[in-house]
């Protein structure tokens, strides 16, 4: 974005006199604003949105490993849903940085209260997969203030009272953790339902995470 053009005084002959006194400063401010904002094309569930994310805005407040992991669930139901763009960072010198500079653009999803059926989480360790399963019986996985930073998210989704195009700093449906950086494109809704959920994540946090029937082990295949 650029600032509105400023009016310049006119010479006696009626021709506007160029005002170059603060031109370098204006150009510097414009370059700084452009450098601080990235246009991130992201395919979100139920909406193809152009996510604007401020450089340095972190979806989580810790250094990520840089190893993506897969999360699936047959059903996810949540109350208080928010979603916005973010930038996760790896620890300095991480061997997983590759050509990314240690940064990963993500879509941050926040759910105030969530239940998941038949949760599966797996990470490829190179030749084998660490797999976690829970909620496969009568009890569902339950989480509060659930936050996921994803590069992919698919499923069959339904929202109630959805708002698309909010400034992320003004979001209020998912509580304080559901607010993003100012100037970032976002969406929120009262409830969210996703069937056949599948995510590629780089980070997950939760205030409370209950995993009934937890099973952890190694497998030749992931979720």
């Amino acid at each position: 974005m650029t600032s509105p053009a400023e009016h310049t005084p006119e010479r006696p002959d009626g021709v506007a006199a160029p005002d170059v006194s603060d031109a370098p400063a204006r150009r510097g401010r414009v370059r700084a604003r452009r450098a601080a904002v990235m246009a991130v094309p992201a395919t979100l569930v139920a909406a193809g949105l152009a996510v604007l994310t401020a450089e340095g805005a972190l979806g989580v407040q810790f250094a990520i490993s840089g190893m993506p992991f897969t999360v699936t669930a047959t059903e996810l139901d949540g109350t208080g849903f928010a979603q916005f763009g973010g930038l996760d960072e790896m620890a300095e010198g991480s061997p997983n940085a590759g050509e990314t500079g240690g940064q990963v653009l993500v879509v941050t999803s926040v759910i105030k209260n969530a239940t998941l059926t038949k949760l599966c989480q797996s990470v490829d360790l190179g030749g084998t997969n660490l797999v976690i399963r829970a909620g496969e019986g009568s009890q569902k996985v339950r989480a509060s203030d659930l936050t996921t930073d994803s590069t992919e998210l698919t499923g069959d989704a339904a929202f109630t009272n959805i708002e698309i195009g909010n400034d992320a700093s003004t979001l209020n449906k998912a509580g304080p953790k559901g607010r993003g950086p100012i100037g970032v494109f976002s969406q929120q809704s009262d409830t969210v339902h996703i069937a056949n959920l599948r995510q590629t994540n780089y980070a997950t946090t939760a205030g409370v995470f209950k995993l009934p029937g937890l099973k952890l082990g190694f497998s030749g295949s992931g979720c």
Side-chain angles (χ1 to χ4, degrees), residues 114-192:
T115 61
L116 300 99
T117 303
K118 295 184 178 179
L119 173 70
C120 179
Q121 176 179 300
S122 64
V123 57
D124 187 347
L125 301 177
T128 189
N129 294 270
L130 175 62
V131 180
I132 296 173
R133 298 182 186 275
E136 296 184 329
S138 59
Q139 291 183 299
K140 298 181 179 182
V141 171
R142 296 185 179 277
S144 64
D145 294 325
L146 177 64
T147 301
T148 58
D149 285 3
S150 312
T151 54
E152 285 188 62
L153 191 161
T154 62
D156 303 310
F159 305 89
T160 59
N161 296 323
I162 191 168
E163 301 171 2
I164 300 174
N166 311 61
D167 185 298
S169 68
T170 68
L171 299 179
N172 56 16
K173 293 181 182 291
K177 293 183 179 295
R179 296 193 190 102
I182 190 169
V184 173
F185 193 100
S186 68
Q187 65 178 2
Q188 66 175 353
S189 64
D190 288 345
T191 69
V192 57

Side-chain angles (χ1 to χ4, degrees), residues 3-6 10 16 31 36 48 51-52 60 63-64 80 88 91 102 108 144 157 160 167 178 193 203 219:
S3 59
E6 298 179 359
E10 292 187 348
R31 284 196 296 268
V51 179
L52 298 181
V60 294
I64 62 171
D88 285 354
T108 297
S144 64
T160 59
D167 185 298
H193 171 81
S219 173

